[in-house]
Amino acid sequence: MRKYVFSLSSLLLLFTSSAWSQSSSIKGTVTDTVSKTNLPDAVVAVLGKKDSILIKFVRTDKAGNFLIKQLPQDSLIVQVTHPDFADYVDMLKPGSAELNLGSIQMTPKSKLLEEVFVRSNKAIVVKGDTIEYKADSFKVQDGANVKELLKRMPGLQVDKNGQVTAQGKKVEKVLVDGEEFFSDDPAVVIENLRADAIDKVQSYDKKSDQAEFTGVDDGTRSKTLNLVLKEDKKKGLLGKVVIGGGTFDRYSSQAMLNFFKGKKKLSVYGIGSNTGVTGLGWEDRGKFSQGFDMDDAEIMGGGMIMINSGDGDFDDWSNSYNDEGIPRSIKAGAHFSNKWNSDKQNMNGNYSVKNLNLNANGNSLTKYVLPDSSYYSKESHNTSSRQTEQLFSGLYDVKLDSASSLRFKVNGKLENADKRTFTSTESTDDELRAVNRNNRTNSSKSDAGTFLGSVLWRQKFKKKGRTLSLTASYKRITRDSKGFLNSETDFFDNTGFPYRRDTIDQYKVNTSTTNAVSSKLVYTEPAGKKGIVEFNYVFNRTATVSDRKSFDKTGDKYSELNDLYSIRYGLNYLTNSAGVKYQYNGKKITASFGSNIGVNNYIQNDSTGKQALSFQYINLFPTSRFMYKFSAQKNLSLSYTGSPSPPGIDQIQPILENTNPLYVTIGNPELKQSYNHTFSLFYNDYKVLTGRSIWINGSFNPVQNAIVTNQNTVSGVTTQQYVNTEGNYNYYFSGSYGFKLKGDIYAGFDLNTSGSRYVNFINTLKNINNQSSVGIRHNMGKYKDGKYDISYNLGVSYNFSTSSIGELKSNFWRQEHNGRFNYFFTKKLQVGTEINFYLRQKTDAFTSSNSMAIWDASVSYKIFKKNNGVFKLEVNDILKERRGYDRSFTSNYIYERNYNMLGRYGLLSFTWNFTKSPGATK
C-alpha cells in the first residue's frame, strides 16, 4: 500500500536527465495488486495539464501493456481506469524519447473501500464517498486561518458570512481529528485554527450513528468536514490573539488557545465585540438565541413525530438578534477531548457562555387586503435587551468488547433574559383615514433551561449484518417569564373622530414545563448477500404543562386575576410504533423501503388536571430511498418520507393571547394533526481533476389537513385562531454548475426556484395565496499566490405573490452584486476592498427607494520574521449607506421593514498567531 501511494513523479526521478530530453512517448504495464497479474482492457488516457482536454487514450492489451506515441512535451496528466479498480491519476512531463512508466499497480475497489488515489498538483485523494485534500498543496498566506485554506480547495466554497459549502451541500459539522470541536459553534474552528496546523481536510456525508452501525440507511445525512492535524501540531500550543479598537468607541477582540498532546485536546477561546461579531457559527449568525440543537439524533426515524408551534407568545418576546440594532457581545468557551485504553474509551466535552446587550429601533409598513377593503399599518419600535446563555455538552463512549459498546450523551442550555420594547402603531384605510392608534410597552424577565440525556447500547453478533441496539433518552424543558403589558388604543370613525379608547395594564406570569421520554429498539438481520432487514420498535411520551396568568391592576397592585387571559393547560403525546425496513446495497444501486405503523394518543388536560379532550390516530411512517451511483462522485438519489405533525400547546389551549392588542390569538382545542409528505431529489456530478461540478436539489412537500390561520379583522384589530384545511404545499429546486477556466479562474452558476400554496381564512372567506421566486446566481474569481485575490458574485431574483382575497398581487425583482479585491504589494503589505450593491424594485405599496451601496476597505501589514503578526486598518461602510431592510409577502398582506444597523466606523487591530510545538518552525 505504501509503495502505491508514491507518485509516478517519484519514479521518474530515477531516470537520467538525458532521458527527459529525448522522450516523446510513454509505455508501461498495468497490474492487479491483489492477484499479481497484468490487467487487460484498462483505459490509459493522457490529458493536457493546463486545460484537462483529452489528448490520446489506448486500452491495455491482453498482457496488460500499453504504448502511447507522439505526445507533446508539455506537462501531462495520465489517468488509468477500469470498472472494477480504483482510478489512478498522476502527472508527468515527457521529453523527446520513450518513457517507460514500469508497472502501474491498480487496487480493486472491493478490497480498499472503493479507494481512488489522485496524485496531482492539487493533491486530492478520493476514497469512496470521501474527498481528501492535502493541505500543504494549497498555497495560503503566512498565518492564514482554516477558512482561507478552504477557499483554495476545489469543490469547497466559503461565502461572506463564513458559511461553508462542500460539493454543493452546506457543511453542518466541523470535526478535528474525527472529534466534535466546539459543537455549538463550528465557525470558531475554521476562523481561529491556523491553516499550517492542518495536514488533511476530509469532506464527506456523515450518516447517523445508528445507520453506520446497522448498515441500514435512515436517510439522515450531514455534510461534514474533518480537519486532520499534522503530527507535530498534536503536541504543544497553537494560539491566536486579536486586539482591535476604533472610532465611535468600537472594539473587537478575541483569543483562542489550543493545547494538544496526542489524542488529548484542550481549547479555550473568548470574544468581546460591539461590531456585530457575536462569535456564532454560520447557521446562527443573525439568530442569536437559536444556536443549539437539542434533538436526539439517535432516536429520529420511524415513529417520530414533529410538533407544530405557533407564531410566538409572551415567552418569545424575542431573545434574538436579527441584524437589527448594535449588539455588544461577550462569549467564551472551552473544549476537552481524549481517547485512551487503545481508543476503547473516548470523552468529549464543550462549554460556552455568551452575553448579548442590544439596543435596536426600526419601523415597518404593512398593507393588508380584506375581502371588501384594505388598510395600511405603520409601526415603529425601540428595544433594549440583555441575554445570557450557557451551553454544555458531553459524550462518553466505551467499547465493552470487540462486538458491543455504550455511548452516553448529555446536552444542556441555561438562559435568562431581560427585554423592554416600546411600540407605536397607526392604522389607516385605503383612503388614508385613521382606523386606530396604539402605543404599548412590553417588558419581561425570563429564565429557561433545557436538559437532554441519552444512552445508546450496540451489540454485533457473529453473523455479519446481525445487530441489536437500544437507544433511550430523556429531555426536559422549563421556562419561567414575568413581565408587564401597558397598552393604550384609540379607535376612529369614518370622520376621523376617536370614539373609543381601550387600555391594558397587566402583570403576566407564564411558566411551562415539558418532559419527554423516548426509546428505540432496532434489530437487523442479513437477507441475502446484498440485503439487510431492520425491525424496530419506537416509544415516545411527551407531556407539556403551560400555566399562564394575567393580573389586572387594582389600586397600586396587580392583584385581580383576569380569567380571559389566564389558564393552566396540559397536553400529552403518547406514541407506540413498530416497523420493518429492507435495504439493498449493491455496487451501483442502494435502495431501501419500509414503514412503521403506530398508535398516537393526544390528550388534553384542563386546569384541574382532568382529561378535557383526547384524540387517537393510527399513523403510517413510510420511508423509501433509491440511489444510483454512476461513479464515486456521480450519483442520483430519490427519497420519500411521510409523518404526522400534531399541534403545539400554544395553538390549542383555549386562551386569548394579547401581547399585541392589535393581533390577538386564541387557542383551538379541536385542532387535529396534519400529515406531511416529503419527496426529495439530489443529483451530483463532480470531477476532481477539472473541478467541474453539477449539483441538483429538489423537494416537494404537500401537507394533508394542514394547520393554518383563521383571521377576523374589525377596525384594524385581528383575532386569529388555528384551524385545519387542505390544499397546502411548498417546493424548491436548485441547480448549480461550477467549473474552472484557463489560468486558475473559477466560475459557477446557480439556478433556484421555490414556491408555495397556502390556504387560510380571512373574515370567514377562504383565501388562496400562491408564492414563487426564481433566481440565478453567478460567481467568478481568481487567486494568484502572493499577488492578488479577486472575486465577483451576482444574485438576481424575481418574486411573485397572488391572493384570491382582494386579488392582491405583488411582483418585484431584486439584485445583489458583490465585488472583492485584495492586492499584495509585498509579502508584508496588502490592501483590500469589498463593495456590495443591493438593488430593489419599487412597488405600488412601497414606492420609496431601498437600493444601497456598501463599501468597505482595509490595509494590513505583517511583522515578525515569519509574518505571523498583522496590523490591520479597516473602514466599514465608507459611503455611509448601510441600513437594515427586509420585504416579505404572505397570505393577504405584504410587508416592508426598516431598522438600524452598525454604520460607518474605522478599526485598527493587531493579530498574533503563535505556535509552540516540538519540531515546529514558528
Side-chain angles (χ1 to χ4, degrees), residues 559-806:
S559 56
E560 185 176 346
L561 183 68
N562 190 319
D563 294 331
L564 192 61
Y565 304 105
S566 303
I567 195 173
R568 178 183 173 87
Y569 212 72
L571 179 61
N572 296 330
Y573 298 117
L574 181 63
T575 302
N576 287 274
S577 73
V580 61
K581 180 190 290 186
Y582 172 79
Q583 178 161 315
Y584 173 83
N585 299 302
K587 287 185 178 180
K588 295 289 186 181
I589 296 176
T590 300
S592 64
F593 60 90
S595 179
N596 275 45
I597 182 169
V599 178
N600 296 347
N601 293 281
Y602 309 144
I603 302 171
Q604 301 177 32
N605 299 321
D606 61 19
S607 58
T608 66
K610 294 182 179 180
Q611 181 173 313
L613 288 172
S614 66
F615 301 93
Q616 186 178 85
Y617 301 93
I618 298 178
N619 286 313
L620 292 176
F621 301 82
T623 177
S624 62
R625 187 168 183 264
F626 172 84
M627 184 176 73
Y628 185 80
K629 194 171 186 178
F630 300 93
S631 62
Q633 291 300 315
K634 182 179 180 181
N635 62 70
L636 171 67
S637 177
L638 303 170
S639 65
Y640 163 76
T641 59
S643 61
S645 296
I649 194 168
D650 296 332
Q651 297 171 322
I652 68 165
Q653 56 185 354
I655 182 179
L656 289 173
E657 171 53 51
N658 66 337
T659 300
N660 180 356
L662 301 181
Y663 206 95
V664 179
T665 301
I666 183 171
N668 179 8
E670 300 291 339
L671 202 59
K672 307 298 192 300
Q673 71 168 16
S674 62
Y675 196 91
N676 301 315
H677 302 268
T678 302
F679 300 88
S680 300
L681 160 72
F682 177 73
Y683 172 81
N684 75 287
D685 182 3
Y686 178 63
K687 293 189 178 299
V688 177
L689 289 177
T690 63
R692 195 271 287 160
S693 62
I694 299 175
W695 314 97
I696 298 175
N697 282 284
S699 178
F700 177 62
N701 309 97
V703 183
Q704 290 179 264
N705 207 32
I707 298 175
V708 302
T709 58
N710 180 14
Q711 300 174 349
N712 187 55
T713 301
V714 179
S715 299
V717 177
T718 298
T719 302
Q720 173 181 284
Q721 188 175 50
Y722 291 97
V723 296
N724 295 101
T725 192
E726 298 292 345
N728 286 14
Y729 62 81
N730 60 78
Y731 65 88
Y732 80 89
F733 177 86
S734 64
S736 67
Y737 178 71
F739 55 95
K740 292 184 65 176
L741 301 173
K742 190 174 182 178
D744 286 333
I745 298 174
Y746 64 87
F749 293 91
D750 298 327
L751 177 66
N752 61 81
T753 180
S754 62
S756 66
R757 184 179 191 266
Y758 180 73
V759 179
N760 69 337
F761 298 88
I762 308 295
N763 289 9
T764 71
L765 295 181
K766 185 177 182 179
N767 177 47
I768 301 175
N769 175 248
N770 291 290
Q771 299 180 29
S772 61
S773 175
V774 178
I776 186 171
R777 300 192 67 86
H778 168 60
N779 65 85
M780 179 176 288
K782 181 177 181 178
Y783 171 77
K784 189 171 182 62
D785 183 34
K787 295 295 183 180
Y788 58 82
D789 181 3
I790 185 171
S791 65
Y792 169 71
N793 297 276
L794 164 68
V796 180
S797 64
Y798 195 79
N799 303 275
F800 311 81
S801 179
T802 62
S803 290
S804 59
I805 294 293

Side-chain angles (χ1 to χ4, degrees), residues 251 271-279 288 327-331 355-357:
Y251 61 88
I271 297 172
S273 172
N274 65 355
T275 62
V277 178
T278 60
F288 185 81
R328 291 182 293 116
S329 62
I330 298 174
K331 183 177 182 182
N355 176 268
L356 178 74
N357 289 279

Side-chain angles (χ1 to χ4, degrees), residues 56-276:
K56 288 187 177 182
F57 77 93
V58 298
R59 291 184 179 273
T60 56
D61 58 23
K62 293 181 180 180
N65 300 317
F66 68 90
L67 173 64
I68 305 178
K69 298 180 179 180
Q70 298 180 347
L71 293 174
Q73 298 183 13
D74 296 333
S75 296
L76 303 173
I77 297 172
V78 175
Q79 181 176 0
V80 184
T81 61
H82 189 282
D84 298 327
F85 291 79
D87 293 354
Y88 187 96
V89 180
D90 206 340
M91 285 179 51
L92 63 135
K93 188 173 182 179
S96 58
E98 185 176 87
L99 179 63
N100 189 349
L101 300 182
S103 176
I104 298 177
Q105 299 183 356
M106 303 286 284
T107 303
K109 296 178 180 179
S110 59
K111 296 297 181 182
L112 285 179
L113 300 178
E114 301 182 5
E115 192 167 6
V116 182
F117 287 88
V118 180
R119 181 75 174 186
S120 69
N121 62 322
K122 294 301 182 183
I124 302 171
V125 179
V126 181
K127 300 180 179 180
D129 294 330
T130 299
I131 299 178
E132 184 175 275
Y133 303 85
K134 183 67 175 177
D136 287 345
S137 297
F138 302 88
K139 298 296 183 181
V140 293
Q141 302 177 59
D142 291 336
N145 58 19
V146 171
K147 182 168 71 172
E148 294 303 315
L149 176 66
L150 299 181
K151 291 179 180 180
R152 307 287 176 252
M153 295 179 169
L156 302 182
Q157 294 87 37
V158 184
D159 67 16
K160 61 182 180 180
N161 297 319
Q163 169 68 58
V164 182
T165 302
Q167 289 76 52
K169 293 183 180 180
K170 288 186 177 181
V171 172
E172 299 177 34
K173 288 187 177 183
V174 176
L175 309 179
V176 176
D177 285 338
E179 298 293 326
E180 289 197 8
F181 202 71
F182 294 113
S183 56
D184 70 307
D185 201 346
V188 167
V189 181
I190 70 166
E191 292 180 0
N192 289 281
L193 202 59
R194 288 180 53 174
D196 59 12
I198 306 302
D199 180 31
K200 302 171 185 176
V201 176
Q202 297 170 334
S203 171
Y204 59 96
D205 290 318
K206 187 180 185 305
K207 300 178 182 178
S208 68
D209 293 340
Q210 189 78 351
E212 290 179 351
F213 174 71
T214 62
V216 179
D217 194 350
D218 56 11
T220 302
R221 292 285 194 283
S222 58
K223 177 59 75 173
T224 301
L225 290 183
N226 181 35
L227 308 177
V228 181
L229 295 174
K230 294 178 179 176
E231 288 300 321
D232 66 319
K233 295 299 190 296
K234 294 180 181 181
K235 299 177 182 179
L237 171 68
L238 293 174
K240 177 181 178 181
V241 176
V242 181
I243 300 174
T247 60
F248 305 106
D249 297 322
R250 295 285 162 246
Y251 61 88
S252 183
S253 300
Q254 55 185 290
M256 185 176 189
L257 301 176
N258 304 282
F259 304 89
F260 298 140
K261 186 177 181 181
K263 296 178 181 179
K264 184 182 297 183
K265 301 180 181 68
L266 174 63
S267 298
V268 294
Y269 76 94
I271 297 172
S273 172
N274 65 355
T275 62

